[in-house]
Amino acid sequence: MTGATGTVGGHVARLLCADHPTRLLGRSLSRLRAVVPAADVVTADFADQSSLERALEGARALFAVTANPLEPAHDAHLLAAARTAGVQHVVKLSALAVTDDRADDLITNWQRENEDRVRASGLAWTLLRPRSFMSNTLSWARSVRAHHTVATPQPQSRNASVDPRDVAEAAVIALTTAGHEQQEYALTGPQAISPAEQCEHLAQVLARPVRCVEISLERAYTAWAQHYPQPIARALLDSARRQGDGAKQGVDPTLARLLGRPATTYRAWATDHAHRFS
């Protein structure tokens, strides 16, 4: 699997390594070993297809996560290496925005192209399309600790955000059980929730006030542009506008069906991560 040091990948790695022989691919062996100390880890670089072929040798299935929309060749290299190495099944982490005809930003188009590559690969495949992760609100933690405040654009806009642990569990099911080949799964949380409502849940969990303060989209874009290349910051702005227009409110039952239980609520996620905000 790739992406073991990421939001979903770390959970996938820990779940897989508990019961299945699993190899973690990445550029830093020390970072990979920090995820699961006993895991089989190997260095590989998305820019070097031969290193990927060596890393994938003998693998039956691949959990594929890439993270740089400015490097579309990474996915092409990974899939070509998977074919050469004899991988049979690819489970690809994508995004639910690919199904929105109004989404025409860099990140969404990159994910669409990645999905097209997977479908054309000749391998069995499963596409996981999560909505935004509940864990994105960890970016509020410093402000909540210091000022009991969250500054966010469009605080009343709703998103059917999902617990990345649930996405990871769905990925493991797709990787290790039959019947998920050539399937596309929309993965959302159990309800559409706004930043203002998330702040209310945090306040209840932390037993202290958490104020939600609205900022303009222009101010949010300026902050994103300080941390990301301009094309990615622009994509984040476009995504935020679509959320404000209601494009991310839809709740899908697929995740609960896959897991055999209800998807995790934001309140439950916040309770489990309260220490990060304290």
Side-chain angles (χ1 to χ4, degrees):
M1 63 169 290
T2 68
T5 59
T7 300
V8 172
H11 296 300
V12 173
R14 285 183 284 273
L15 289 170
L16 280 176
C17 288
D19 297 303
H20 304 276
T22 305
R23 185 180 305 147
L24 312 184
L25 283 62
R27 289 185 295 180
S28 170
L29 293 181
S30 60
R31 290 187 66 199
L32 292 173
R33 290 193 178 106
V35 177
V36 184
D40 179 15
V41 298
V42 61
T43 56
D45 191 322
F46 286 132
D48 180 359
Q49 184 174 319
S50 61
S51 74
L52 294 168
E53 291 173 5
R54 291 191 296 271
L56 289 167
E57 185 176 357
R60 179 193 64 81
L62 168 66
F63 181 57
V65 182
T66 52
N68 190 348
L70 300 178
E71 293 288 350
H74 287 179
D75 282 85
H77 292 164
L78 183 59
L79 289 170
R83 285 194 301 270
T84 300
V87 171
Q88 300 170 30
H89 184 198
V90 175
V91 176
K92 171 63 177 173
L93 185 66
S94 183
L96 191 49
V98 300
T99 63
D100 184 351
D101 292 339
R102 295 167 292 178
D104 192 33
D105 60 88
L106 170 74
I107 295 174
T108 304
N109 286 330
W110 168 70
Q111 292 284 26
R112 288 190 181 110
E113 292 166 2
N114 291 342
E115 288 196 359
D116 288 343
R117 290 187 180 95
V118 169
R119 294 189 194 93
S121 67
L123 306 173
W125 51 263
T126 309
L127 299 175
L128 303 181
R129 295 169 169 169
R131 190 51 88 193
S132 300
F133 298 133
M134 293 174 179
S135 56
N136 290 352
T137 59
L138 288 173
S139 65
W140 301 345
R142 180 178 296 180
S143 179
V144 170
R145 287 194 301 266
H147 308 294
H148 303 178
T149 299
V150 169
T152 183
Q154 306 178 134
Q156 302 303 326
S157 64
R158 286 188 167 86
N159 187 315
S161 58
V162 63
D163 188 333
R165 297 173 299 184
D166 287 355
V167 177
E169 190 174 333
V172 171
I173 290 169
L175 286 163
T176 61
T177 63
H180 303 285
E181 296 82 1
Q182 272 55 31
Q183 298 296 314
E184 303 164 353
Y185 292 140
L187 307 177
T188 76
Q191 62 183 146
I193 187 170
S194 69
E197 291 166 329
Q198 289 172 320
C199 288
E200 292 174 4
H201 284 296
L202 284 173
Q204 293 165 5
V205 167
L206 298 172
R208 56 183 173 82
V210 177
R211 292 192 309 126
C212 189
V213 177
E214 183 171 9
I215 62 172
S216 68
L217 281 172
E218 291 74 16
R219 180 177 167 189
Y221 172 75
T222 298
W224 292 326
Q226 292 174 350
H227 292 91
Y228 302 103
Q230 191 275 335
I232 294 178
R234 175 62 60 180
L236 295 174
L237 177 62
D238 291 346
S239 177
R241 285 175 172 155
R242 286 190 294 106
Q243 178 167 324
D245 291 338
K248 303 183 181 183
Q249 296 186 80
V251 173
D252 192 285
T254 299
L255 184 56
R257 176 172 58 81
L258 286 171
L259 302 185
R261 61 167 175 81
T264 304
T265 65
Y266 183 78
R267 176 64 173 267
W269 179 91
T271 299
D272 290 344
H273 295 82
H275 63 285
R276 302 286 296 274
F277 296 89
S278 301

